[in-house]
Amino acid sequence: MFWLSLEVAIVLCLDVGFTMSSSAPGEECSLEQAKKIMTKFVQRQVFAESKDEIAVVLFGTDGTRNDLASRDQYQNITVHRSLMLPDFDLLEDIQDVIKPGSEQADFLDAIIVCMDLLQKQTIGKKYEKRHIELFTDLSSPVSEDQLEIIIANLKKTGISLQFFLPFPVDVDDGGGDPSAGVHSHIHRNPFPRKGLTEQQKEGIDVVRKLMHTLDEEGGLEEIYTFRESLERLSMFKKIERRPMAWPCQLTIGSNLSIRIVAYKSVKEKVKKVWTTVDAKTLRKDDVQKETVYCLNDDVETEVQKDDTIQGFRYGSDIVPFSKEDEEQMKYKTEAKCFSVLGFSRSSQVQHCYMGNQVLKVFAAKDDENAAVAFSALVHALDELKVVAVVRYAYDRRCNPQIGSAFPYIKDAYECLIYVQLPYMEDLRQYIFSSLKNNKKYIPTADQLSAVDSLIDSMNLVYEADDGETFEDLFKPSKIPNPHFQRLYQCLQHKAFHPNEPLPPIEEHILEMLEMPSVVKERCQGPLEKIKALFPLKEVGKKKEKMTAQDIFKDSSEDGPNPKKPKIEDEEGSFSIMKLAEGNVTSVSMFLQISFLKEEQLINRIDQFLENKGSQYYMKGINCIRVFREEAVKLSKVQCFNDFLQALKSKVEDKALADFWEIMIQGRMAFF
Amino acid sequence: MSDWVSYYRGEGPQEDEEEEQDEERAEAVADYRFLGRDSLVFLVDASKGMFEPDGDGATPFDMAIQCIWSVYTSKIISSDRDLLGVVFYGTEENKNSADFKHVYVLQELDNPGAKRVLELDQYRGDKGQVLFRDTFGHNADYSLGEALWACSNLFSDVRVRLSHKRIMLFTNEDDPHANDSVKAKMARTRAGDLRDTGIILDLMHLKKPGGFDISLFYRDIVNIAEDEDLGIQPEQSEKLEHLMKKVRAKETKKRTLARLNLYLNKDLSLSVGVYNLLHKAYKPYPVKLYRETNELVKIKTRMFNAQTGSLLLPSDTKRAQTYGNRQIVLEKEETEELRRFGSAGLYLIGFKPLSVLKQHHHIRPSQFIYPEESLISGSTTLFNALLMKCLEREMMILCRYTARQNTPPRFVALVPQEEEVDEQKVQIAPPGFHIIFLPYADDKRKVDFTEKLPASREQVDKMKEIVQKLRFKYRIDSFENPVLQQHFRNLEALALGLLEPEQAEDLTMPKVEEMNRRLGNLVEEFKQLVYPPDYNPNGKSVKQNQASDGPAKKRVKVEISKDELRSHVQKGTLGKLTVPVLKDACRLYGLKGGGKKQELMDALTEYFNEH
């Protein structure tokens, strides 16, 4: 197994010499800038839960602490932190503990200390890479004596080196071709061009020599400015998951199998779960959960867990079904498999994928025969425009899936892509009214052409200048999930400021979610046209939870509702709906006329309730309210109370608890 | 508890649970509580005409019973809270609360259960018809109006709140009261009452010799739900599968997941309803029963402080995550706040040609949108214009989608779908857009691909022959979930006291013999072209491929010294060790660590910090 192969050992080597902390008025000093970059970098590592280990070496410190130090050698260089996983202690150190020194030290000496540290602390472990990141303003005296040895050693040990400087190296250096230097886009970010000192120029020469010798081609590209680094680090890094290989055989019938290996290629990244902690002690262990089982009787008699058995609902029945029996009788997946059931036209399986992942299936590694057989299958599917419908079971313990495997051919590789298909039980067959058979909803030619120009103006994909490739202005798959960016931002803030509220969402995150500004400008006109041509009108707020307040709002607002379907007069049929349609005023009129006949009113109310629907409840309640008011006026309180008492028992009887709830909320109580 | 969840919900260890789905499920339950239950009455014509066989097919009555029976069994699996009932009319016997003649309520509205399924089962097939005739008889002197009245009484007798009320009327008589205008008028009046009280009446008209003419009578009777109007009448159902299709399409109430705005820009929007046309059906959670009486027990969970034993209210707790060896604590409200990026809605980003949609960018089942007039009137016309143009130009709409206020946004592609009806005029594809969820950069993983080794023309062609032999037409409802089916057959057997559960046919297994027969020599020919004679693709590979299966390998003890452990603890690199190693280490020092990696690490860290 190559478990450790993806990890990197990194030394952050920071110049804290006195020049680093001096700055022009209004500017941040180099040390602060460097610390910011280090902070961002370490934060990214922490939240990505990276297994890379990080050490910190400072130079220019007042004291000295390193393995190589002797009387006058390697002075003012401090190993601040050994190689270990980054954590919040390190972040706090960077923010608060690392202070500017009053000395200076040779950055080449510092590199040697870093190399020594990397050599010693990585003994016996394997790392993919060992790496030094050096932050300095190059203001301290440097002696080139050891340059050759350093270069030879870096090459020999394979340790890589990056420089982070407050200024670009091609500024004011008087020699060399600027384009061979740092990234071109730096020129767009002008730096405060305070004149570099002679010492710094000398330093630049050394850096140049060093990096150029290390790597003739790209060495100089490993020199970064503070500012560009900050920009690059502003996004939190995504967690790299090691892909897990799933070896299996693809079978077609019982006589043909091809050795394959599959990997998850797309899968929604899951967030860490929140643990519940005690609000006072903040300890997880202080929160215990307890489950009790009790009978459904008046006193809720508790029973022991051991006295309970498992059951399932089968419609209205509850079937006792012990775990053991269930285990015994349940469907058993024989073994892992990737078996073809047949082939179907690819157009028949679109837009109906289930599951939450995609597998990429390849021929097994290091098996030429499998590779050829697999390639034959992929190309056969591709040429016939069909997909394989397969039964896929991850292993014995897992439920089998049905899925579609379709060919995917790239320059570098070819594979099958597997996505789960739904089972019959997963389908919801709903019918929707026809749009094309309803004249009311057919747009006019003008309206259609307005939509046409909207699509033209908002097309995100256009042909590139070469006429062959396409440019896509907006690729969601290149955007990091804003939720995680936000989560990390908040966690980080809370780690240092536990008692402050959450910070606002960072501007660059919000920008990333918006349509490209070119498109925004282009679509203004067409959108105006759409607005003019399509009559759109807000008709009401979303149906919210019905509260008593809504129901008991002022009766004057409770006018006829235009949304309700029109009721046509049916010959001789009595319709409750018609009565229910009436608003409160008409109810009241009706009452005044026939108040003496309370019975009739009570019957109506009953009728509303029979229908068990909130619109009828409202009508019912309106009637009751008017009843109450009139009862007060006519001092017939007892009559109302009797009615209410009767209603209450009726409500209990008919399972109209929700109606009663609304009544109570509306304080429609007894006198 | 975590084990349980994976046992009942997930696809096994490789699937991570998704919080979203939990939310959705919770929503569905809440929906029931708030809106009430769905109810459906099957009203079946039991007069003689329904029992007359036509050619070789089943009688219309048998088709109706088969169909109702299958709705019952599928409701038990998919939505056992819905209420179902069965009423016959045109019988000699009668049973109903109003004592109408020739109307027999076989089953009042209730949840479907084993006994009811069994009862229906009796009337299936030829034997069933004989039994039916003997039990209930026929009489043509019925009144459809009374039958409808009896149905509406069923709805009002129910003691729970109903959200959706529907009657499905099965008949093959297109003019039942041709000679009795009083009964015809009464039926129309009753139908009008049903409409007024919000009860949907669907006609499932079955085969009538000479054709079923809806215009004679039923046009005034049926009451199509406003949101299901296809603008055309479906054909009569001559085959069971046609009838099934019609019934399936209407048996569940369409529920919106959400109603929200599709914003073209800040101040221009139309409103849409979001629907789940695909929704994973899970094995239901088990319930707990008291051993002595098999009665349901209530399960109560409470939180208490381990130190003081006092009860903890939710407000006495906070939420935490640990990163970089530090526990970071947030208020519960803050964990919700940080998911908030703006109000719910679909926000237009732009249009793209359909061809750039990558099929392999799939992270979740798609959803579906259809215009909604209840928030913004005029939405349907604009929606339809967008749909027509996207279909015509083969474009899709790219949007940012915030499903609920506390749900972080995702990018989605709205893929247009043209409406389609089949030969029976039953809708098979509704008009609207599919919401296809697109992955973020974090969701994609780099994989270690195998170098390709292209096959020759001859090899590809041979494989094409094989593929051609095994072609079939995939239909989305072709496969039943064998796990669910077996589970419910087991329950059914237990509920009905059967000795052996009926074995569900596992449609997911390849039909190997049939395949081999169809392929004949092609497989041998292909192998000869591709594989050397001594090659065995089924043999275990030389390398450590067994790791996933071989129990021998698992038991290899990975010893780790105390010093190493200590150094890991000090450097915070314990996480690099595997769970088995950590477990062994815990065992060695007698630590109780629990099953999770973090718990094991915590235990070891604590131990070494103290010792």
Side-chain angles (χ1 to χ4, degrees):
Chain A
M1 298 276 161
F2 319 101
W3 253 197
L4 304 170
S5 64
L6 286 171
E7 285 150 33
V8 180
I10 302 160
V11 185
L12 300 177
C13 182
L14 174 65
D15 186 350
V16 294
F18 61 82
T19 55
M20 287 289 282
S21 52
S22 64
S23 65
E27 274 173 39
E28 218 171 10
C29 68
S30 302
L31 183 64
E32 281 312 312
Q33 288 186 41
K35 279 165 77 167
K36 263 194 187 160
I37 298 169
M38 286 170 63
T39 305
K40 285 269 181 202
F41 173 77
V42 173
Q43 275 167 1
R44 278 163 54 109
Q45 296 282 336
V46 165
F47 285 112
E49 307 207 281
S50 156
K51 300 280 192 281
D52 297 347
E53 294 180 24
I54 296 178
V56 177
V57 172
L58 307 175
F59 63 105
T61 48
D62 295 350
T64 301
R65 194 171 73 236
N66 68 71
D67 287 358
L68 301 179
S70 59
R71 238 172 342 115
D72 57 345
Q73 296 278 306
Y74 302 103
Q75 290 302 300
N76 306 107
I77 300 176
T78 302
V79 176
H80 182 83
R81 185 179 160 108
S82 304
L83 207 53
M84 58 204 273
L85 285 180
D87 54 23
F88 273 93
D89 292 345
L90 174 55
L91 284 168
E92 269 173 355
D93 277 7
I94 295 171
Q95 286 198 347
D96 305 328
V97 180
I98 296 177
K99 291 266 167 16
S102 51
E103 299 290 330
Q104 284 195 315
D106 183 340
F107 73 83
L108 289 180
D109 281 352
I111 291 177
I112 295 172
V113 170
C114 294
M115 286 163 63
D116 174 65
L117 180 152
L118 277 176
Q119 296 278 30
K120 284 181 181 151
Q121 298 190 4
T122 58
I123 290 173
K125 296 188 213 159
K126 266 186 109 173
Y127 290 88
E128 188 197 22
K129 226 169 107 182
R130 290 183 293 177
H131 185 71
I132 299 169
E133 292 179 0
L134 193 68
F135 301 80
T136 176
D137 62 356
L138 300 176
S139 288
S140 41
V142 55
S143 116
E144 287 186 50
D145 305 349
Q146 304 219 58
L147 193 56
E148 296 305 316
I149 305 169
I150 292 175
I151 292 169
N153 255 301
L154 285 172
K155 281 190 166 170
K156 197 177 90 193
T157 54
I159 293 173
S160 54
L161 185 61
Q162 282 178 331
F163 276 91
F164 294 83
L165 308 176
F167 42 80
V169 282
D170 57 346
V171 173
D172 191 26
D173 60 348
D177 173 13
S179 67
V182 238
H183 303 268
S184 54
H185 74 263
I186 289 167
H187 299 291
R188 281 187 271 122
N189 301 324
F191 285 85
R193 288 175 178 250
K194 57 176 178 188
L196 297 181
T197 62
E198 283 312 306
Q199 186 60 61
Q200 283 173 319
K201 286 179 190 164
E202 194 189 328
I204 288 174
D205 281 342
V206 176
V207 171
R208 218 178 251 290
K209 225 180 271 177
L210 175 65
M211 295 309 278
H212 194 67
T213 328
L214 274 176
D215 179 358
E216 283 186 21
E217 298 284 307
L220 296 177
E221 292 186 3
E222 296 302 323
I223 306 171
Y224 300 93
T225 64
F226 286 170
R227 181 172 302 203
E228 76 174 312
S229 311
L230 259 181
E231 279 174 16
R232 290 197 184 183
L233 290 168
S234 64
M235 290 290 176
F236 288 102
K237 167 177 159 177
K238 69 174 189 176
I239 300 176
E240 293 285 344
R241 293 248 198 155
R242 210 172 280 120
M244 267 280 271
W246 181 76
C248 193
Q249 277 107 30
L250 180 151
T251 57
I252 303 175
S254 59
N255 300 324
L256 180 55
S257 36
I258 303 173
R259 288 181 52 217
I260 53 163
V261 59
Y263 303 90
K264 279 179 199 171
S265 80
V266 176
K267 162 118 181 126
E268 200 166 333
K269 193 179 108 179
V270 204
K271 50 212 165 271
K272 259 192 177 179
V273 289
W274 294 94
T275 50
T276 305
V277 298
D278 186 281
K280 285 193 208 83
T281 63
L282 304 186
R283 278 164 49 102
K284 184 179 78 178
D285 295 343
D286 285 347
V287 179
Q288 296 280 323
K289 274 192 183 162
E290 175 191 51
T291 308
V292 290
Y293 303 88
C294 49
L295 298 181
N296 204 1
D297 53 18
D298 290 345
V299 288
E300 302 203 323
T301 320
E302 253 184 57
V303 294
Q304 291 306 304
K305 188 174 184 230
D306 291 344
D307 290 330
T308 64
I309 50 168
Q310 182 184 266
F312 285 93
R313 286 180 196 280
Y314 181 77
S316 55
D317 306 307
I318 293 172
V319 181
F321 196 12
S322 70
K323 268 197 176 152
E324 296 71 31
D325 287 348
E326 198 202 350
E327 188 58 32
Q328 179 74 42
M329 289 167 76
K330 74 168 190 194
Y331 178 90
K332 291 179 187 74
T333 309
E334 275 168 30
K336 69 172 172 182
C337 71
F338 199 81
S339 314
V340 173
L341 304 180
F343 300 92
S344 184
R345 254 213 331 268
S346 42
S347 58
Q348 277 157 355
V349 292
Q350 284 180 352
H351 310 313
C352 51
Y353 295 133
M354 287 301 287
N356 47 15
Q357 62 174 16
V358 172
L359 299 180
K360 274 189 178 166
V361 182
F362 301 91
K365 288 225 182 304
D366 305 318
D367 184 338
E368 291 184 3
N369 301 313
V372 175
F374 189 78
S375 165
L377 177 62
V378 171
H379 284 272
L381 295 181
D382 185 54
E383 288 170 24
L384 293 169
K385 297 204 169 27
V386 296
V387 302
V389 176
V390 297
R391 170 190 159 100
Y392 159 71
Y394 180 81
D395 70 12
R396 216 159 27 78
R397 294 162 301 168
C398 294
N399 297 334
Q401 295 179 2
I402 290 294
S404 135
F406 50 89
Y408 187 64
I409 300 172
K410 296 285 260 188
D411 289 341
Y413 61 90
E414 47 194 36
C415 65
L416 289 176
I417 290 183
Y418 170 87
V419 195
Q420 189 184 353
L421 291 170
Y423 280 122
M424 195 265 279
E425 293 87 342
D426 305 329
L427 302 179
R428 301 241 180 116
Q429 280 158 330
Y430 292 152
I431 288 190
F432 293 83
S433 296
S434 169
L435 291 180
K436 63 181 177 200
N437 292 338
N438 192 334
K439 287 197 195 76
K440 214 165 92 191
Y441 301 131
I442 304 292
T444 63
D446 279 355
Q447 287 176 327
L448 282 174
S449 89
V451 169
D452 245 337
S453 40
L454 178 72
I455 296 179
D456 288 335
S457 72
M458 295 188 79
N459 197 343
L460 297 169
V461 180
Y462 59 91
E463 232 169 273
D465 298 335
D466 60 8
E468 299 218 330
T469 50
F470 289 90
E471 297 275 345
D472 192 335
L473 286 176
F474 198 92
K475 286 187 166 175
S477 66
K478 302 276 186 234
I479 296 175
N481 188 338
H483 178 205
F484 294 115
Q485 300 292 322
R486 172 76 175 145
L487 174 66
Y488 300 150
Q489 181 210 356
C490 291
L491 285 173
Q492 180 189 307
H493 179 83
K494 279 283 182 175
F496 292 115
H497 314 282
N499 297 319
E500 283 178 24
L502 297 183
I505 304 178
E506 282 169 297
E507 206 50 48
H508 67 252
I509 304 280
L510 292 173
E511 272 166 29
M512 170 179 96
L513 301 173
E514 292 295 329
M515 72 170 79
S517 48
V518 244
V519 179
K520 205 169 207 158
E521 277 164 35
R522 272 200 320 234
C523 69
Q524 288 310 321
L527 278 173
E528 285 305 316
K529 212 168 147 199
I530 292 213
K531 200 170 180 179
L533 284 174
F534 288 90
L536 292 164
K537 211 182 127 211
E538 271 191 50
V539 285
K541 294 223 169 74
K542 267 191 205 175
K543 194 173 148 201
E544 265 152 43
K545 247 182 140 168
M546 180 103 55
T547 60
Q549 218 172 4
D550 297 326
I551 291 166
F552 289 101
K553 63 186 169 193
D554 199 3
S555 60
S556 59
E557 289 170 27
D558 201 22
N561 192 336
K563 266 192 297 172
K564 287 272 159 57
K566 251 195 243 149
I567 311 292
E568 276 165 37
D569 267 358
E570 295 273 340
E571 30 161 351
S573 65
F574 168 73
S575 159
I576 301 168
M577 194 73 170
K578 262 183 255 164
L579 177 60
E581 276 300 296
N583 58 27
V584 173
T585 357
S586 69
V587 171
S588 169
M589 294 264 287
F590 156 74
L591 277 176
Q592 275 160 13
I593 296 163
S594 62
F595 186 69
L596 289 173
K597 296 179 192 164
E598 308 126 21
E599 232 164 83
Q600 204 173 334
L601 167 70
I602 292 167
N603 283 344
R604 287 290 171 275
I605 293 173
D606 284 355
Q607 216 160 357
F608 289 142
L609 297 184
E610 277 307 293
N611 283 283
K612 296 193 183 86
S614 43
Q615 77 267 34
Y616 299 112
Y617 286 179
M618 282 167 77
K619 301 299 172 190
I621 286 176
N622 281 334
C623 280
I624 295 169
R625 196 172 69 160
V626 177
F627 189 0
R628 188 178 192 268
E629 280 164 10
E630 298 295 319
V632 174
K633 268 190 225 158
L634 301 173
S635 340
K636 281 203 163 197
V637 171
Q638 187 53 43
C639 169
F640 179 76
N641 277 356
D642 289 347
F643 160 71
L644 218 51
Q645 190 65 53
L647 182 67
K648 191 177 176 218
S649 59
K650 208 170 295 173
V651 158
E652 279 162 2
D653 188 46
K654 289 258 179 189
L656 286 162
D658 43 354
F659 173 76
W660 193 252
E661 192 65 23
I662 293 172
M663 291 269 303
I664 302 298
Q665 279 184 55
R667 309 230 165 77
M668 184 77 89
F670 299 99
F671 287 103
Chain B
M1 220 26 214
S2 63
D3 293 348
W4 269 35
V5 173
S6 64
Y7 182 76
Y8 287 103
R9 294 286 305 283
E11 290 290 307
Q14 98 275 26
E15 294 258 354
D16 300 320
E17 265 319 307
E18 247 192 281
E19 199 178 297
E20 290 290 318
Q21 282 177 344
D22 283 337
E23 283 172 11
E24 214 173 80
R25 209 177 153 101
E27 210 176 61
V29 172
D31 211 18
Y32 275 123
R33 283 201 202 124
F34 181 55
L35 293 171
R37 313 253 201 104
D38 286 355
S39 55
L40 170 60
V41 170
F42 297 100
L43 178 59
V44 185
D45 182 357
S47 54
K48 278 211 180 83
M50 288 285 284
F51 291 81
E52 271 154 28
D54 177 65
D56 44 278
T59 64
F61 180 82
D62 195 34
M63 272 165 62
I65 292 290
Q66 294 272 11
C67 181
I68 294 166
W69 179 83
S70 119
V71 171
Y72 265 73
T73 45
S74 78
K75 281 279 182 190
I76 285 176
I77 298 182
S78 62
S79 36
D80 63 1
R81 304 182 61 78
D82 292 359
L83 306 180
L84 301 177
V86 178
V87 179
F88 297 115
Y89 67 93
T91 51
E92 181 58 47
E93 302 296 315
N94 68 305
K95 185 182 135 202
N96 59 76
S97 59
D99 276 333
F100 295 126
K101 293 264 184 286
H102 317 304
V103 176
Y104 197 96
V105 177
L106 182 73
Q107 296 179 353
E108 312 226 335
L109 275 172
D110 201 351
N111 307 77
K115 285 188 201 69
R116 302 185 127 214
V117 173
L118 206 61
E119 184 177 20
L120 279 174
D121 196 41
Q122 292 178 54
Y123 303 114
R124 285 165 76 194
D126 293 342
K127 265 207 226 143
Q129 294 198 25
V130 175
L131 179 68
F132 186 89
R133 210 165 294 167
D134 296 346
T135 322
F136 306 108
H138 304 300
N139 192 314
D141 192 29
Y142 60 84
S143 155
L144 186 62
E146 288 177 347
L148 294 176
W149 195 328
C151 290
S152 73
N153 283 342
L154 292 186
F155 290 111
S156 45
D157 287 345
V158 172
R159 296 172 63 95
V160 292
R161 190 160 153 203
L162 301 177
S163 60
H164 181 68
K165 293 172 259 189
R166 189 189 284 271
I167 299 171
M168 283 190 192
L169 172 59
F170 294 79
T171 183
N172 66 344
E173 173 56 71
D174 55 4
D175 198 6
H177 300 311
N179 304 318
D180 189 336
S181 62
V182 176
K183 278 186 184 168
K185 189 176 160 195
M186 178 183 174
R188 271 194 282 271
T189 307
R190 279 294 143 211
D193 282 350
L194 294 178
R195 191 177 305 141
D196 290 349
T197 43
I199 299 174
I200 311 276
L201 175 59
D202 280 314
L203 178 65
M204 298 295 153
H205 48 310
L206 299 156
K207 191 175 181 185
K208 181 190 174 184
F212 194 106
D213 186 356
I214 291 187
S215 65
L216 283 178
F217 175 71
Y218 279 103
R219 195 172 22 211
D220 301 336
I221 297 289
V222 294
N223 161 29
I224 295 176
E226 250 182 295
D227 56 351
E228 293 174 351
D229 190 1
L230 294 183
I232 37 170
Q233 278 295 342
E235 302 282 314
Q236 61 178 353
S237 305
E238 302 186 1
K239 288 191 188 138
L240 180 61
E241 55 175 290
H242 298 162
L243 180 65
M244 281 306 302
K245 222 165 24 183
K246 263 201 281 189
V247 172
R248 271 276 149 70
K250 297 202 164 181
E251 70 175 279
T252 19
K253 164 77 180 147
K254 204 158 61 192
R255 284 189 195 282
T256 50
L257 214 56
R259 272 176 290 187
L260 35 84
N261 286 5
L262 166 53
Y263 294 90
L264 301 188
N265 72 9
K266 246 195 355 275
D267 38 35
L268 180 58
S269 59
L270 61 149
S271 53
V272 297
V274 184
Y275 300 85
N276 258 341
L277 301 186
L278 293 171
H279 185 84
K280 180 128 189 72
Y282 290 104
K283 202 192 250 192
Y285 278 112
V287 293
K288 286 272 173 212
L289 307 176
Y290 185 43
R291 194 186 288 279
E292 305 288 316
T293 56
N294 279 352
E295 68 184 299
L296 211 54
V297 298
K298 276 201 265 189
I299 300 175
K300 290 198 277 192
T301 309
R302 46 184 182 227
M303 260 185 315
F304 62 93
N305 183 305
Q307 303 289 323
T308 64
S310 58
L311 278 181
L312 288 174
L313 295 172
S315 57
D316 295 329
T317 62
K318 295 189 180 188
R319 303 288 175 271
Q321 287 195 355
T322 302
Y323 277 102
N325 288 333
R326 182 159 304 180
Q327 174 177 282
I328 306 164
V329 179
L330 271 73
E331 302 288 344
K332 174 146 193 304
E333 294 72 33
E334 288 173 329
T335 64
E336 281 153 19
E337 184 190 332
L338 61 81
R339 300 161 60 87
R340 209 172 295 155
F341 284 77
S343 48
L346 281 156
Y347 299 83
L348 178 63
I349 302 286
F351 295 82
K352 285 188 185 186
L354 266 176
S355 55
V356 303
L357 179 65
K358 294 191 173 95
Q359 281 219 54
H360 59 279
H361 278 179
H362 163 89
I363 44 165
R364 285 185 201 175
S366 62
Q367 297 176 342
F368 188 78
I369 55 169
Y370 185 85
E372 178 75 40
E373 288 284 317
S374 71
L375 303 181
I376 297 173
S377 70
S379 293
T380 314
T381 312
L382 178 51
F383 186 94
N384 201 15
L386 282 166
L387 181 63
M388 287 164 74
K389 276 295 161 193
C390 283
L391 283 168
E392 178 194 315
R393 300 179 56 171
E394 300 189 352
M395 298 291 271
M396 60 184 189
I397 310 178
L398 188 72
C399 285
R400 187 175 76 239
Y401 176 32
T402 300
R404 283 181 292 278
Q405 202 198 9
N406 283 349
T407 312
R410 289 213 75 100
F411 287 103
V412 295
L414 303 183
V415 174
Q417 173 169 289
E418 191 162 19
E419 62 183 287
E420 224 182 300
V421 293
D422 65 4
E423 314 88 62
Q424 278 82 39
K425 305 286 189 302
V426 174
Q427 189 174 63
I428 46 173
F433 290 90
H434 289 282
I435 304 182
I436 309 284
F437 290 87
L438 302 173
Y440 280 119
D442 314 62
D443 303 324
K444 294 194 303 175
R445 302 181 183 185
K446 279 201 193 94
V447 299
D448 181 15
F449 60 82
T450 308
E451 292 295 329
K452 71 173 173 187
L453 212 61
S456 68
R457 186 71 262 162
E458 200 187 355
Q459 290 162 332
V460 173
D461 286 342
K462 188 54 78 183
M463 184 52 96
K464 276 164 87 172
E465 286 181 51
I466 291 180
V467 169
Q468 292 288 27
K469 288 279 182 213
L470 298 177
R471 286 186 73 149
F472 75 112
K473 191 169 176 211
Y474 171 81
R475 289 208 345 249
I476 192 162
D477 55 358
S478 300
F479 297 98
E480 290 181 337
N481 183 343
V483 178
L484 275 185
Q485 289 295 334
Q486 191 59 55
H487 179 72
F488 282 99
R489 307 258 164 139
N490 292 343
L491 290 180
E492 185 187 49
L494 289 166
L496 300 178
L498 308 181
L499 285 177
E500 276 280 296
E502 196 185 340
Q503 285 300 312
E505 189 195 353
D506 186 353
L507 300 168
T508 69
M509 288 302 272
K511 299 191 172 59
V512 175
E513 278 163 28
E514 169 70 10
M515 289 171 83
N516 290 347
R517 194 184 56 73
R518 281 211 219 172
L519 290 176
N521 282 332
L522 284 172
V523 167
E524 274 317 305
E525 288 165 26
F526 178 78
K527 281 197 201 162
Q528 270 167 20
L529 281 174
V530 177
Y531 292 157
D534 58 341
Y535 177 76
N536 176 14
N538 296 322
K540 287 276 176 206
S541 98
V542 214
K543 289 198 187 138
Q544 10 67 348
N545 272 356
Q546 303 169 308
S548 57
D549 277 335
K553 178 110 188 178
K554 275 188 196 154
R555 293 312 314 156
V556 173
K557 268 250 163 89
V558 197
E559 294 287 346
I560 183 157
S561 75
K562 194 166 181 170
D563 287 345
E564 274 177 274
L565 271 175
R566 190 182 294 283
S567 121
H568 276 301
V569 170
Q570 279 163 358
K571 288 167 64 183
T573 52
L574 263 186
K576 292 186 175 188
L577 301 175
T578 60
V579 173
V581 174
L582 291 172
K583 268 195 180 152
D584 279 347
C586 279
R587 208 172 299 138
L588 202 62
Y589 299 106
L591 305 173
K592 264 209 320 224
K596 294 221 181 90
K597 182 161 190 175
Q598 190 61 48
E599 291 168 358
L600 295 166
M601 283 161 55
D602 290 348
L604 283 170
T605 309
E606 200 173 316
Y607 178 82
F608 279 99
N609 285 341
E610 282 166 18
H611 295 82

